[in-house]
Amino acid sequence: MPKDGGIGASTKRREDVRFLTGQGNYTDDINIAGQAYVHFLRSDMAHGRINAIDTAAAAAMPGVVRIFTGADFEGIGGLPCGWQVTDRFGEPMQEPAHPVLAQGKVRHVGDPIAAVVAETPEQARDAAEAIVVDITELPAVVDMRAALAEGATKVHDDLKSNLCYDWGFVEDNREAVDAAIKGAHHVTTLELVNNRLVANPMEPRVAVGDYNRATDEHTLYTTSQNPHVIRLLMGAFVLGIPEHKLRVVAPDVGGGFGSKIFHYAEEAFCTFAAKACNRPVKWTASRSEAFITDAHGRDHVTKIELALDEEGNFLALRTETLANMGAYLSTFAPSVPTWLHGTLMAGNYKTPLIYVNVKAVFTNTVPVDAYRGAGRPEATYQLERVIDKAARELGMDPIALRRKNFVTEFPYATPVAVEYDTGDYVATMDKLEEIADIAGFADRWEKSQDDGKLRGLGVNCYIEACGIAPSNLVGQLGARAGLYDAATVRVNATGSISVMVGAHSHGQGHETSFPQVVAEMIGIDPSQVEIVHGDSSKIPFGMGTYGSRSIAVCGSAMVRATEKIINKAKKIAAHLMEASEADIELKDGQFTVAGTDKSVAWGDVTLAAYVPHNYPLEEIEPGLEETAFYDPANFTYPAGAYACEVEVDPETGKVTICSFAAADDFGNIINPMIVDGQVHGGIGQGIGQALLENAVYDENGQLLSGSYMDYAMPRADDVPFYVVDHSCQTPCTHNPLGVKGCGEAGAIGSPPAVVNAVIDALQRAGKDVSHIDMPLTPARVWAAMNG
Amino acid sequence: MYSFDIERPTTIADAVAALGSDEAQALGGGQTLIPTLKQRLAAPAKLVSLSGIAEMQGVCVADDGALCIGGATPHAVVAREAAAAYPALAALAGQIGDPAVRNRGTIGGSLANNDPAACYPAAVLASGATIVTNARSIAADDYFDGMFGTALEEGEIIVEVRFPVPEAASYQKFLQPASRFALTGAFVAKFADGVRVAITGAGEEGVFRWSEAETALSHEFRPDALMDLSVSADGMIEDLHGSKAYRAHLVKVMTARAVAAAAG
Ligand SMILES: Cc1cc2nc3c(=O)[nH]c(=O)nc-3n(C[C@H](O)[C@H](O)[C@H](O)COP(=O)(O)OP(=O)(O)OC[C@H]3O[C@@H](n4cnc5c(N)ncnc54)[C@H](O)[C@@H]3O)c2cc1C
């Protein structure tokens, strides 16, 4: 019955049947008759000047269709940046060109120099090896501080320096913050690194370009989180293809975590080459290629200072961050260390004065952009680490210090521009203390002690701004795109429903959770509702999935469209029952006339809409299909409290996570099982960042951790069984579902809990260690203990 | 991958003959060689698969009590079939990689490759095993020759490895977090005439015997016997996952743990 599968039901994910039985339709599964394959010749040096490229021998190799170099893209647009940041002096950021294929210079290992299109992937690769590139190696700019030094080698010769922008937020607060810190009773200072990460979705990127000479239509199949954004960026800015001649399809996508938001050179190349060669052109990344071409995440170096009074009240907060942009500006890169980071520095606390300074830096490394959480994990990590350190310096309990400073009244306007609509941080902390059995920690510590292990407890809070967000606001902040979303609800004649959504599911379970909402509203079985997503020719112009926005923004559009459907259906029902529209009620898929026993079923009404024999044609159109665009009034603000317990092996420094508890407030919840899964995955990635993952470059700009031999992904036995609770619910006040979004919370909230726990363990053992940079590998923890 | 021919001989003699041709290379389980080929770091003209040679498969106990493992025996088979005769060796095999790796990867391939972080070299060296090839028998002490180096001649095939079975033994592996090879692994084997200790993952020259520990443990087979020993950081590997000093420290910790487990 409807209620079983409606809002709040832990319905199993219907899409998993095809994923788990190998029947998914991923981009690499798409093969078009006559397709050729592309292999990119990529730079193996971090920085170099291209003197000449000789493709003659390669072009004569078997199977070669055509070889392209940067010269073929002269006069064609480069990859655009979708966000312009204005620096603290009112100047626009420095924005370098980003050619599809390198022109003049290579700027990171992996930068594409040439592309070979051939009959088979092997022939393309063979020919690529035969291309002779005359290149002069230049000094690599790797370290951010060195990049900003006077006289540093420039990544982009035509820019003034390697500084992309120097951003101050809120610039007007700067002096007040400095003064408050100067005069404070206590100031806790912490310098830390937020380690660079590689997203590593299970499915590497793939692009297939197709061109129809007869209709002049281009189609790009691609591993994207937002096909419409790619169509807009690639069509309008790179290749100049009008939207009505360009279709972008993102079919099943095997994970993205942010790295598949962005418009990549390979997408533009395959689309371009399909027309140039008059052949479908396919590119499938190898895992090695993914490491050196997918946008990386994080990579911030930060100094944070927290000023407190005698009682432990937060007075002021000041941060200075260097944020690595890599060699080019990836699509949304400039927004991550600024508007997605600075605005979150208040956290869950009523700190009255905050100033955030961020210098974004170009280096000869892979571009860095949004990765699960994007800016918010960086904000949360520094804030929750410095609070922990302050508690230790002041001899206060870290939970008590947090509670003392919680925001308790809503709405709350932070000093960093955003306004939290609702929340209850006391409730999530209470819940956390209960589910993590904080009171029982002392006993567990004793037990670990008996086993020769150092046990520690780490607790932290987080808040995130999700459901990104009002278009007029983000426009003021520099976004070059709107951030609404859209849904079309198409009711079929027999009552089943197709919902075309702008959101894209690449692991989030939309095909299950979205129908639950529509089914609940109408009172039909969710199996009658199907979600269509990922194909720009089928779905309305929505902005895709990232920033935990799908249900909050696109789900709201779907609700609005369904409301329109219900309103129209009521008119039809009123006509069929010869009653007044105002008296019509819809419940469990039946329209009734209030106070009577008259009713018509949902299917009767939908059939009438398409077979309008007995129908109010003079009043309303036949058919039952509605579209809504939804632009939210504010971000949503999920928040919560996390606790982690670890054991450190004093002999080896190895950290074992004993338990991890999460108390989240996501507002209303559509499918609790899917929400649990999202939190589990997020925490897993957060633990990966805290203990294992690290993208490390050497001084020549070579990626040392460029494969799974050296880049440590979390495995099942690296993570514990999680205790996850989302019973604290303060519904969002401004969207129709009261939802906040849950996709990134785990990755945002978990790294500080892990690090706080390790530091706690070491301090309880009498070690004078106040910080260790992530990842807390055995070697690093051992070195800190024995330093 | 570049293209290559493949042969699947069923006898050692045919395999040796096939390997006699130009640029031919033996293929064991392919767990190292295939990724190398995929990255185009090697370009053999012909691969000679050893997995169809019945005489190179399986685990048995010889008349002298030695445990004999066919050179093409996968790790999973060793983990299962050596468990009764030589539990420490079986446990080592059962900790290599993941199930897919253990079902394909072979003892001969591992020893021919002699990765400085591989597990089997520690067992072979600590056990004083004998590497039997198509041409000769090589004592463990004469076999390993620096990182990725061995006494094998071009085209020589490991057909069997013979392990004397110690009274007590244990392998303790500290995992490199990414690859889960040994960041440092210690194999301790106690025989009637003394103790042998082999360390993998730590040394720049690959697997090595820690002779001070052997002397101390031969005298007294207890973890405490190692207490006064120190391991020099000189000659240790330093990489993303650990400094020389850390590896030197782990040598002692893992050896002590192996002794504790073996003395159990
Ligand atoms: C994901 C992963 C994890 C791993 N983890 C571990 C680990 O934890 N510990 C560990 O020790 N190892 C580990 N390995 C290595 C694995 O155990 C294999 O043993 C190793 O890759 C080589 O064995 P192979 O049979 O696959 O040899 P192949 O890859 O087929 O060959 C390797 C080399 O040996 C030669 N060769 C093969 N067989 C013979 C023979 N009988 N005689 C002479 N030469 C021969 C080949 O010509 C080649 O040069 C791991 C591998 C992978 C892929």
Side-chain angles (χ1 to χ4, degrees):
Chain A
M1 275 310 289
K3 279 285 172 262
D4 295 344
I7 291 176
S10 282
T11 311
K12 282 192 182 153
R13 303 198 335 163
R14 56 171 81 166
E15 50 268 72
D16 284 349
V17 175
R18 74 173 188 276
F19 296 155
L20 296 176
T21 56
Q23 298 177 85
N25 181 38
Y26 295 91
T27 308
D28 194 47
D29 294 321
I30 293 169
N31 293 296
I32 305 172
Q35 108 194 336
Y37 297 83
V38 58
H39 186 89
F40 290 94
L41 175 66
R42 298 186 181 279
S43 177
D44 57 7
M45 62 179 74
H47 197 189
R49 192 171 308 285
I50 301 171
N51 304 315
I53 305 173
D54 182 353
T55 59
M61 305 256 305
V64 173
V65 175
R66 190 170 155 186
I67 299 178
F68 296 81
T69 66
D72 294 292
F73 285 82
E74 258 160 41
I76 290 171
L79 304 176
C81 179
W83 202 297
Q84 184 183 64
V85 165
T86 302
D87 75 7
R88 65 195 187 86
F89 311 103
E91 295 296 317
M93 66 187 188
Q94 293 206 81
E95 193 172 350
H98 187 178
V100 174
L101 296 176
Q103 293 183 350
K105 256 180 138 186
V106 289
R107 296 187 178 84
H108 67 87
V109 171
D111 214 359
I113 297 172
V116 180
V117 178
E119 299 294 339
T120 71
E122 291 75 20
Q123 288 173 332
R125 192 171 171 186
D126 287 342
E129 285 180 3
I131 296 173
V132 183
V133 185
D134 173 6
I135 193 161
T136 307
E137 188 158 8
L138 300 170
V141 180
V142 179
D143 177 75
M144 287 194 276
R145 286 198 181 86
L148 294 182
E150 199 65 39
T153 303
K154 286 195 287 184
V155 177
H156 296 277
D157 301 346
D158 52 340
L159 299 187
K160 285 180 291 200
S161 66
N162 293 318
L163 179 68
C164 178
Y165 55 73
D166 176 355
W167 185 75
F169 184 66
V170 173
E171 194 59 23
D172 292 345
N173 289 348
R174 187 186 181 96
E175 281 170 23
V177 169
D178 288 350
I181 288 177
K182 204 175 229 166
H185 165 74
H186 185 85
V187 179
T188 296
T189 304
L190 183 60
E191 293 188 30
L192 49 79
V193 173
N194 204 294
N195 41 324
R196 180 187 274 244
L197 303 177
V198 181
N200 279 306
M202 202 181 290
E203 177 205 28
R205 288 190 297 114
V206 183
V208 186
D210 192 17
Y211 176 68
N212 185 331
R213 207 148 276 259
T215 59
D216 191 31
E217 282 172 339
H218 300 259
T219 304
L220 170 68
Y221 301 90
T222 182
T223 48
S224 175
Q225 301 178 208
N226 31 239
H228 266 297
V229 174
I230 302 305
R231 190 180 71 154
L232 177 67
L233 293 177
M234 188 175 80
F237 296 98
V238 189
L239 301 178
I241 304 169
E243 282 103 319
H244 66 292
K245 293 294 182 189
L246 175 58
R247 174 180 169 215
V248 177
V249 184
D252 285 334
V253 173
F257 312 111
S259 70
K260 293 175 183 167
I261 298 173
F262 323 119
H263 177 39
Y264 287 96
E266 296 86 357
E267 296 171 322
F269 179 82
C270 289
T271 308
F272 177 85
K275 181 173 183 182
C277 302
N278 198 21
R279 297 271 298 264
V281 171
K282 181 175 200 171
W283 170 72
T284 302
S286 68
R287 183 60 66 183
S288 308
E289 241 176 335
F291 268 96
I292 54 168
T293 64
D294 290 4
H296 290 178
R298 317 279 193 257
D299 205 350
H300 287 192
V301 176
T302 294
K303 177 181 176 191
I304 180 168
E305 295 158 287
L306 175 65
L308 306 95
D309 70 11
E310 287 85 342
E311 274 88 51
N313 295 304
F314 300 166
L315 302 177
L317 187 72
R318 180 168 63 195
T319 74
E320 270 174 59
T321 289
L322 296 180
N324 206 333
M325 295 284 101
Y328 302 99
L329 289 177
S330 174
T331 313
F332 291 110
S335 68
V336 175
T338 51
W339 300 108
L340 296 177
H341 164 250
T343 50
L344 269 296
M345 283 315 304
N348 312 58
Y349 312 102
K350 46 183 193 247
T351 314
L353 284 166
I354 298 176
Y355 179 73
V356 176
N357 178 254
V358 178
K359 293 188 177 70
V361 187
F362 294 112
T363 59
N364 292 117
T365 62
V366 171
V368 180
D369 206 327
Y371 168 70
R372 203 169 191 171
R376 292 153 291 174
E378 295 89 324
T380 304
Y381 181 65
Q382 9 168 337
L383 182 61
E384 295 295 330
R385 283 288 302 124
V386 82
I387 292 172
D388 232 57
K389 187 165 184 238
R392 290 174 200 288
E393 288 175 357
L394 295 171
M396 291 184 71
D397 173 62
I399 296 180
L401 179 60
R402 287 180 168 86
R403 284 182 178 274
K404 187 179 193 62
N405 287 282
F406 275 159
V407 171
T408 51
E409 282 168 26
F410 297 89
Y412 174 74
T414 70
V416 277
V418 290
E419 181 173 289
Y420 304 159
D421 59 339
T422 174
D424 188 345
Y425 310 145
V426 175
T428 42
M429 185 57 92
D430 288 348
K431 178 55 75 177
L432 180 76
E433 292 206 35
E434 176 198 324
I435 62 173
D437 183 26
I438 302 282
F441 175 75
D443 289 345
R444 295 190 293 277
W445 183 84
E446 290 284 350
K447 166 103 193 11
S448 297
Q449 192 75 358
D450 293 345
D451 297 341
K453 295 283 159 45
L454 316 179
R455 198 177 186 97
L457 168 66
V459 170
N460 66 273
C461 300
Y462 77 88
I463 181 157
E464 50 171 327
C466 290
I468 180 171
S471 295
N472 53 5
L473 175 67
V474 297
Q476 285 167 30
L477 306 183
R480 288 163 170 165
L483 284 168
Y484 55 85
D485 220 291
T488 297
V489 176
R490 175 181 297 161
V491 182
N492 301 309
T494 60
S496 68
I497 299 173
S498 304
V499 187
M500 280 63 81
V501 294
H504 184 277
S505 188
H506 32 278
Q508 294 86 347
H510 296 174
E511 292 173 28
T512 302
S513 57
F514 277 48
Q516 290 181 244
V517 174
V518 176
E520 172 91 22
M521 290 176 72
I522 298 172
I524 55 174
D525 193 274
S527 66
Q528 294 303 299
V529 186
E530 191 82 6
I531 297 301
V532 178
H533 62 102
D535 183 340
S536 70
S537 70
K538 292 184 182 163
I539 60 171
F541 193 157
M543 301 306 289
T545 288
Y546 37 84
S548 307
R549 70 194 299 277
S550 299
I551 200 73
V553 186
C554 189
S556 296
M558 180 177 71
V559 168
R560 291 284 184 251
T562 307
E563 286 168 356
K564 292 188 198 176
I565 292 283
I566 291 171
N567 287 341
K568 184 170 177 185
K570 280 184 175 173
K571 286 195 172 72
I572 302 169
H575 177 88
L576 292 177
M577 293 188 282
E578 295 175 339
S580 156
E581 188 194 330
D583 295 335
I584 304 294
E585 289 169 357
L586 172 61
K587 190 164 178 284
D588 294 344
Q590 293 286 328
F591 294 90
T592 53
V593 181
T596 74
D597 59 359
K598 279 196 197 170
S599 76
V600 284
W602 169 250
D604 298 330
V605 171
T606 62
L607 193 62
Y610 289 95
V611 188
H613 296 161
N614 174 18
Y615 194 86
L617 281 169
E618 58 291 344
E619 270 174 65
I620 50 175
E621 297 166 3
L624 209 45
E625 175 166 328
E626 299 287 351
T627 295
F629 284 74
Y630 181 84
D631 205 282
N634 190 354
F635 291 88
T636 65
Y637 299 95
Y642 284 13
C644 177
E645 280 185 36
V646 299
E647 276 184 349
V648 179
D649 179 345
E651 286 187 320
T652 64
K654 181 166 169 53
V655 175
T656 303
I657 304 217
C658 308
S659 65
F660 201 106
D664 297 292
D665 175 359
F666 295 134
N668 294 333
I669 281 171
I670 311 299
N671 183 319
M673 181 202 69
I674 288 179
V675 170
D676 281 354
Q678 289 290 307
V679 175
H680 289 181
I683 297 173
Q685 282 180 308
I687 289 173
Q689 169 162 34
L691 296 184
L692 297 159
E693 300 184 43
N694 204 10
V696 184
Y697 281 94
D698 72 8
E699 67 277 13
N700 299 318
Q702 296 291 332
L703 182 60
L704 296 178
S705 48
S707 82
Y708 294 137
M709 293 300 279
D710 289 299
Y711 189 93
M713 293 293 285
R715 286 140 152 121
D717 62 353
D718 289 314
V719 300
F721 283 95
Y722 307 113
V723 181
V724 172
D725 183 286
H726 27 75
S727 61
C728 301
Q729 298 181 353
T730 59
C732 170
T733 58
H734 56 80
N735 66 42
L737 288 166
V739 293
K740 295 183 174 179
C742 67
E744 295 156 299
I748 294 170
S750 54
V754 176
V755 178
N756 288 348
V758 174
I759 300 301
D760 183 62
L762 300 188
Q763 294 207 349
R764 283 175 198 270
K767 308 279 181 195
D768 181 23
V769 177
S770 60
H771 181 68
I772 306 174
D773 274 325
M774 300 186 291
L776 273 58
T777 60
R780 285 189 178 183
V781 175
W782 179 81
M785 283 194 291
N786 293 282
Chain B
M1 220 178 256
Y2 297 104
S3 57
F4 52 81
D5 294 331
I6 183 149
E7 280 195 38
R8 302 174 186 282
T10 54
T11 65
I12 293 170
D14 287 351
V16 172
L19 282 168
S21 69
D22 235 18
E23 290 185 53
Q25 188 171 2
L27 175 68
Q31 296 302 293
T32 296
L33 187 52
I34 299 291
T36 313
L37 298 183
K38 280 189 176 172
Q39 290 178 64
R40 297 191 158 191
L41 297 173
K46 185 204 286 176
L47 291 185
V48 180
S49 170
L50 306 177
S51 51
I53 302 174
E55 23 177 353
M56 284 177 63
Q57 290 287 347
V59 178
C60 67
V61 179
D63 294 344
D64 64 356
L67 184 79
C68 304
I69 301 178
T73 310
H75 312 325
V77 172
V78 176
R80 223 166 33 237
E81 295 183 8
Y86 196 166
L89 182 67
L92 172 148
Q95 287 175 55
I96 294 175
D98 49 49
V101 170
R102 293 195 288 275
N103 284 326
R104 296 295 312 172
T106 66
I107 188 168
S110 177
L111 293 172
N113 193 47
N114 191 23
D115 187 303
C119 301
Y120 268 128
V124 165
L125 193 58
S127 306
T130 303
I131 315 280
V132 182
T133 75
N134 56 302
R136 59 192 167 137
S137 291
I138 312 172
D141 285 316
D142 302 326
Y143 175 79
F144 300 102
D145 188 16
M147 231 186 233
F148 298 108
T150 71
L152 292 177
E153 302 286 344
E154 192 75 22
E156 194 172 358
I157 303 174
I158 298 174
V159 299
E160 187 178 89
V161 188
R162 299 170 74 95
F163 290 87
V165 179
E167 292 169 359
S170 172
Y171 175 62
Q172 295 292 319
K173 173 183 183 184
F174 192 79
L175 301 181
Q176 194 260 50
S179 72
R180 296 203 170 182
F181 276 67
L183 185 64
T184 293
F187 201 111
V188 171
K190 179 178 184 295
F191 292 92
D193 59 351
V195 176
R196 289 172 67 107
V197 177
I199 305 295
T200 188
E204 279 175 341
E205 295 299 312
V207 66
F208 66 92
R209 285 174 68 182
W210 184 17
S211 48
E212 291 89 341
E214 292 183 349
T215 311
L217 292 168
S218 297
H219 184 66
E220 188 189 9
F221 194 67
R222 295 199 309 139
D224 284 355
L226 302 170
M227 206 133 76
D228 296 333
L229 301 185
S230 70
V231 182
S232 167
D234 287 350
M236 295 287 149
I237 295 172
E238 176 148 312
D239 62 12
L240 283 183
H241 308 286
S243 62
K244 289 172 186 282
Y246 183 57
R247 281 194 167 80
H249 169 77
L250 283 181
V251 167
K252 188 165 161 180
V253 171
M254 299 323 281
T255 304
R257 287 182 182 182
V259 173

